[in-house]
Amino acid sequence: MSKQVMVPTLGESVTEATIGEWLKNPGDPVNVDEPIVSLETDKVAVEVPSPVAGVMGAHAVEVGATVEVGALLATIEDDVAAGENTDVEPREESPAQKQAAPASDGQGARADDGTLEDAAPAQAKIHDPEATQTMSPAVRRAVLEHGVDPTRIKGTGKDGRLTKEDVLAAAENKKAPSSAEAPAPAPAATAATQAPAQGDRREERVKMTRMRQTIARRLKSAQETAALLTTFNDVDMTAVIEAREKFKDTFAKKHDIKLGFMSFFAKAACLALKDLPSVNAQIDGDEIVYFDYVDISVAVSAPNGLVVPVVRDADSKSFAQIEKDIADFGRRAKDGTLTMEDMKGGTFTISNGGVFGGLMSTPIINPPQSAVLGLHRIEDRPVVRDGQIVIRPMMYIALSYDHRLVDGREAVTALKTIKEAIEDPMRMLIDL
């Protein structure tokens, strides 16, 4: 008896997804709720768990195929004990798969990233049931990129699962094998697979992921639909830096989280948005939707692109809770475990390009929102204070906004309010 695994409901208005990666191959043992396939939606990668324990049956669709909600993904043979032999209906392989399959003579097989790796280790990593580990898409990609054996890495994640940091640490510690341990040389590569000589020029074509296609479409739509404009200001970070230095140990001890800059800017933005509701509003057809709450989308870098999970009710949350939410989003973005619910909604966005060293930028709004705050790196610059030239830690901040809804006066005032709150954090405590 077999159990069918269907495409689950993926979230509001999401009707289809792309098969990103099969985490279990036909014949592999499967436990209840163990992920068997990763689906790429417009916003996140979703892992589909097995509804029963048993043995992985046939895959109904191939990697890269588009599937709709409710479509058949695979079958689980739940009447066969895990680890026993089972007859699995073979899938017809595409020409590309047949060419990439490891040959019996040990010739190198081509990995997903275009590099050559030895066929035997690849087979052990992917097809040996006892050595198979469930890995998120980000971890699996790191394994392929760095050429490490995941079965020899001790996972530090939940239930002993590997994290991207585990793979990177293993890659750092990886040493070249001694001559006694060195594998036998593979047969000479053919002209088709031979690595190009130094100085040769080459190019590679890679299909855009569904998430990257969505990012491209939404950002282009924002440019074509919204009347985008950006206003700038600079902020003296002295007061915030001093506050962090003074309270960082006490804050971390009490709340078990570090005090960062993002919570200051989130609370300062809430102060400005309450005073200027249009910056926190959205256009819906010929109507304007005003919100009496602030849900801040925080731009986070993920393996497949930029994602914007939402800190809900940021205006009523403490500094500590905002820091915890953002830290949790960052961890789950790296592991590829963010959900559609995490990304839903949002009335305003904060994007911190400063963590990558950016000095100044014109951030683009996240539709249908009407504004986005861009943060940048902090650097010592000469400024004039009380007629004297002094050195201060300064940051450029930018507010991009939809001029159809937000007037220039409102945008400049909002950015000025954020600047004043950061330079004098007491304003956030007494609502000024």
Side-chain angles (χ1 to χ4, degrees), residues 336-374:
T337 57
L338 287 172
T339 67
M340 294 296 296
E341 189 63 28
D342 295 326
M343 323 286 284
K344 182 180 177 182
T347 62
F348 183 77
T349 294
I350 298 179
S351 177
N352 186 6
V355 296
F356 304 110
L359 176 63
M360 186 179 293
S361 68
T362 55
I364 190 168
I365 64 173
N366 178 25
Q369 299 173 16
S370 62
V372 54
L373 175 66

Side-chain angles (χ1 to χ4, degrees), residues 265-280 294 348 373 399 410-419 421 428 431-432:
F265 279 101
K267 298 301 285 187
C270 290
L271 197 66
L273 299 179
K274 289 294 185 179
D275 289 343
L276 299 153
S278 64
V279 185
N280 193 48
V294 179
F348 183 77
L373 175 66
L399 185 75
E410 295 169 312
V412 171
T413 302
L415 198 61
K416 182 172 178 287
T417 300
I418 294 172
K419 167 186 169 69
M428 288 182 271
D431 194 18
L432 286 178

Side-chain angles (χ1 to χ4, degrees), residues 38-120:
S38 174
L39 303 180
E40 292 181 357
T41 69
D42 291 347
K43 296 182 178 180
V44 294
V46 179
E47 291 183 347
V48 179
S50 172
V52 296
V55 174
M56 189 69 193
H59 297 168
V61 285
E62 301 288 344
V63 172
T66 298
V67 291
E68 296 183 351
V69 173
L72 176 65
L73 288 172
T75 57
I76 303 295
E77 307 299 329
D78 58 355
D79 59 341
V80 182
E84 293 183 4
N85 293 330
T86 180
D87 294 329
V88 179
E89 181 181 349
R91 293 180 297 146
E92 182 179 353
E93 294 183 331
S94 65
Q97 288 176 310
K98 292 179 180 179
Q99 184 177 358
S104 59
D105 61 359
Q107 185 170 344
R110 185 167 297 276
D112 291 342
D113 60 355
T115 60
L116 293 176
E117 57 179 357
D118 184 69

Side-chain angles (χ1 to χ4, degrees), residues 302-319:
N304 292 333
L306 195 70
V307 293
V308 278
V310 180
V311 178
R312 307 194 187 281
D313 298 313
D315 51 322
S316 60
K317 286 185 174 178
S318 66
F319 280 67

Side-chain angles (χ1 to χ4, degrees), residues 390-409:
V390 295
I391 303 299
R392 291 285 187 270
M394 303 297 294
M395 174 196 289
Y396 289 117
I397 57 176
L399 185 75
S400 291
Y401 57 99
D402 187 347
H403 213 340
R404 296 178 304 164
L405 176 59
V406 183
D407 294 332
R409 179 189 64 82

Side-chain angles (χ1 to χ4, degrees), residues 127-173:
H127 299 293
D128 182 0
E130 295 184 1
T132 300
Q133 297 189 41
T134 301
M135 297 179 287
S136 70
V139 173
R140 191 170 289 259
R141 181 172 180 82
V143 167
L144 292 174
E145 288 179 348
H146 295 281
V148 296
D149 185 352
T151 63
R152 299 190 178 187
I153 305 175
K154 183 177 180 181
T156 60
K158 183 180 180 181
D159 298 327
R161 294 179 65 177
L162 291 182
T163 66
K164 186 176 180 181
E165 288 71 21
D166 296 333
V167 177
L168 296 179
E172 288 291 331
N173 297 329

